[in-house]
Amino acid sequence: MSSQTPRFTCRDLGMRASEYLDGELQDPQRRLFEEHQEQCPACRGLVASLRRTIAGIRSLSFDAVPSRVKHLLDEAMQRARSHRS
């Protein structure tokens, strides 16, 4: 009987990057994510790019966004959250 160590692929990392950056990815997936990221320059670059994007968005003033756009963003976030559950 062979015991394979679970691994994260680049695809896995891409699909779970948001959860990781939001602090929602739990062990053992978080550990596997971090191990893969340490070994994969492309995925390290992806995570760094997402961090910069998030930081840039957070630096924007939400008050400058028109109310219709805020409403559409709220709806999109609610749909995304419901698909995660």
Side-chain angles (χ1 to χ4, degrees):
M1 180 190 297
S2 75
S3 171
Q4 283 191 329
T5 302
R7 293 178 37 127
F8 241 54
T9 64
C10 294
R11 179 184 164 102
D12 294 331
L13 187 137
M15 292 177 64
R16 307 297 295 270
S18 242
E19 287 176 83
Y20 176 78
L21 292 171
D22 291 342
E24 297 173 356
L25 196 59
Q26 302 296 315
D27 277 334
Q29 290 80 24
R30 182 184 55 78
R31 183 178 40 77
L32 293 171
F33 183 103
E34 291 170 347
E35 287 172 1
H36 178 87
Q37 184 182 207
E38 289 172 8
Q39 300 296 318
C40 182
C43 287
R44 263 195 317 276
L46 171 70
V47 172
S49 177
L50 288 172
R51 283 185 199 277
R52 286 189 303 271
T53 301
I54 291 167
I57 290 170
R58 286 184 176 153
S59 72
L60 298 175
S61 170
F62 198 61
D63 294 333
V65 178
S67 62
R68 175 73 179 137
V69 174
K70 286 182 190 179
H71 177 72
L72 292 172
L73 286 171
D74 286 339
E75 286 179 346
M77 292 299 292
Q78 288 175 1
R79 281 193 305 274
R81 286 186 187 115
S82 70
H83 286 122
R84 277 192 195 174
S85 303

